[in-house]
Amino acid sequence: MSERPERAVLAGGCFWGMQDLIRKLPGIIATRVGYTGGDAPNPTYRSHGTHAEGIDIIFDPGTISYRQILELFFQIHDPTTKNRQGNDIGISYRSAIYYVDEEQKRIAEETIADVDASGLWPGKVVTEVEPVGDFWQAEPEHQDYLERYPNGYTCHYPRSGWVLPRRTAAE
């Protein structure tokens, strides 16, 4: 590892599929799924109030950048559907980026602008950008779910040929 590990916290629908795909990126050190961005203390799968299903990511910034993680995040879920991913409907399944510092906030906003300008999705991005708060780890049966059940439910997948261009200076 070339630099000190950094943290990213994302929500993009059911946490099983997010974890399964993000963990495979080079430079991802650890992932855990849980509940974040809401109002319930000690949330559980059955009772998590306004929390989103999220993923807490520890990564090596010398191997993978925060921007690269966000590019995969925007490829594997539909950031234009409010409170929904596939068959999963409700506030738990919203798209959100929980930044740990102002640099992550800047990168998140820039990446969202690039996604909107790209036309890769049919509508405008509705992903929330909020400061990180408490992250409550989900129950053990939800951790590494698709590794234990390879044919389990997911609504996340890489889109073939999906490459996010950066806006030009004139845009």
Side-chain angles (χ1 to χ4, degrees), residues 27-102:
I28 300 300
I29 298 166
T31 61
R32 63 187 179 132
V33 298
Y35 315 101
T36 191
D39 61 359
N42 301 307
T44 65
Y45 189 73
R46 298 268 177 246
S47 177
H48 51 266
T50 61
H51 285 291
E53 288 193 12
I55 178 172
D56 189 7
I57 304 158
I58 303 299
F59 66 98
D60 173 8
T63 304
I64 188 167
S65 69
Y66 185 64
R67 165 75 185 216
Q68 289 170 308
I69 294 169
L70 292 182
E71 287 177 5
L72 180 69
F73 171 71
F74 283 115
Q75 180 192 143
I76 64 175
H77 87 291
D78 183 345
T80 68
T81 55
K82 187 170 177 64
N83 299 333
R84 178 178 190 159
Q85 285 301 307
N87 295 325
D88 296 326
I89 300 171
I91 195 168
S92 301
Y93 306 110
R94 69 186 177 272
S95 177
I97 298 169
Y98 299 100
Y99 58 87
V100 300
D101 58 27
E102 289 301 309

Side-chain angles (χ1 to χ4, degrees), residues 9-32:
V9 179
L10 305 172
C14 176
F15 44 34
W16 297 338
M18 295 287 295
Q19 182 182 40
D20 189 56
L21 293 170
I22 289 173
R23 72 172 344 128
K24 294 174 181 171
L25 291 172
I28 300 300
I29 298 166
T31 61
R32 63 187 179 132

